[in-house]
Amino acid sequence: MVESARVSIAESLKKVAKERDRELQVGDYLLHYYVVHEEWCDSDNIQHVYHEVMSTCYKILEISEDRYKVVKLLGIDNNFFYYKAHECELIGDYEKKMVENALLIDEEQCSKAIAAALDVIDQVIEKIRKLL
C-alpha cells in the first residue's frame, strides 16, 4: 500500500509539473523529481541494483544571489513521506541547481499530493492499531 502510494503520488506530480519557461519567483511551487539508478558488482561478482525515485515539493520564500530560502512541503523517497513544512536555506551549488532545475507545479497540485500522503499515513496507523 505504501509503495504504490509513494509511486502514485510522485508520478501524478510529475505528470502535472511543467518545465520552467521563466525566472523563478517568490511564491513559486516546485517539484524536484529525480531517479537514482545504480548497478554494480561486488567482490564476489554478485550484481546489485539500486533504484529509487525521489520527489520533493518546495515553495520559494526568498531569492538572493547566493541562496534560496524555501519551505519543503513534501518529500517522498523509498523510506518515507515527509509532510511537515520545514523552512531551510539552500546555499550549496548542488542545492541551488536542484531548485533551478526543478519543475513548476501549482499550490493545488502540491496540496493534493500532501493530502494523499497524509491519507496513506492515516491508513497505515489504522492498520497498526488493528494489529495491536
Side-chain angles (χ1 to χ4, degrees):
M1 176 178 68
V2 173
E3 175 64 14
S4 66
R6 184 184 68 77
V7 171
S8 174
I9 293 168
E11 289 299 320
S12 67
L13 281 168
K14 186 179 174 194
K15 285 180 186 174
V16 297
K18 300 175 193 150
E19 291 286 330
R20 190 165 52 87
D21 59 354
R22 60 173 174 73
E23 292 294 316
L24 289 171
Q25 301 171 4
V26 170
D28 280 346
Y29 285 81
L30 304 173
L31 170 66
H32 178 62
Y33 178 93
Y34 52 109
V35 176
V36 177
H37 185 84
E38 299 174 0
E39 296 183 32
W40 70 94
C41 289
D42 63 17
S43 58
D44 295 326
N45 207 26
I46 297 173
Q47 184 171 356
H48 299 271
V49 176
Y50 176 78
H51 185 84
E52 182 172 13
V53 176
M54 296 177 266
S55 304
T56 307
C57 293
Y58 299 97
K59 179 181 179 183
I60 297 179
L61 301 176
E62 292 178 23
I63 299 173
S64 67
E65 285 185 31
D66 62 343
R67 69 177 172 86
Y68 293 98
K69 185 174 183 182
V70 301
V71 58
K72 290 182 181 181
L73 299 167
L74 178 65
I76 303 170
D77 73 11
N78 279 356
N79 300 308
F80 67 87
F81 289 114
Y82 178 86
Y83 59 90
K84 292 186 179 179
H86 171 73
E87 284 187 23
C88 61
E89 292 186 353
L90 305 175
I91 56 176
D93 288 342
Y94 173 78
E95 292 174 325
K96 289 192 296 187
K97 284 182 183 175
M98 189 172 65
V99 170
E100 291 162 358
N101 294 325
L103 302 168
L104 289 170
I105 57 173
D106 65 36
E107 182 178 6
E108 181 182 347
Q109 295 160 340
C110 186
S111 295
K112 285 180 182 180
I114 292 168
L118 290 172
D119 184 52
V120 172
I121 291 164
D122 289 344
Q123 290 177 42
V124 169
I125 290 170
E126 184 59 32
K127 287 184 182 283
I128 292 170
R129 283 188 179 138
K130 286 180 181 178
L131 290 172
L132 296 176

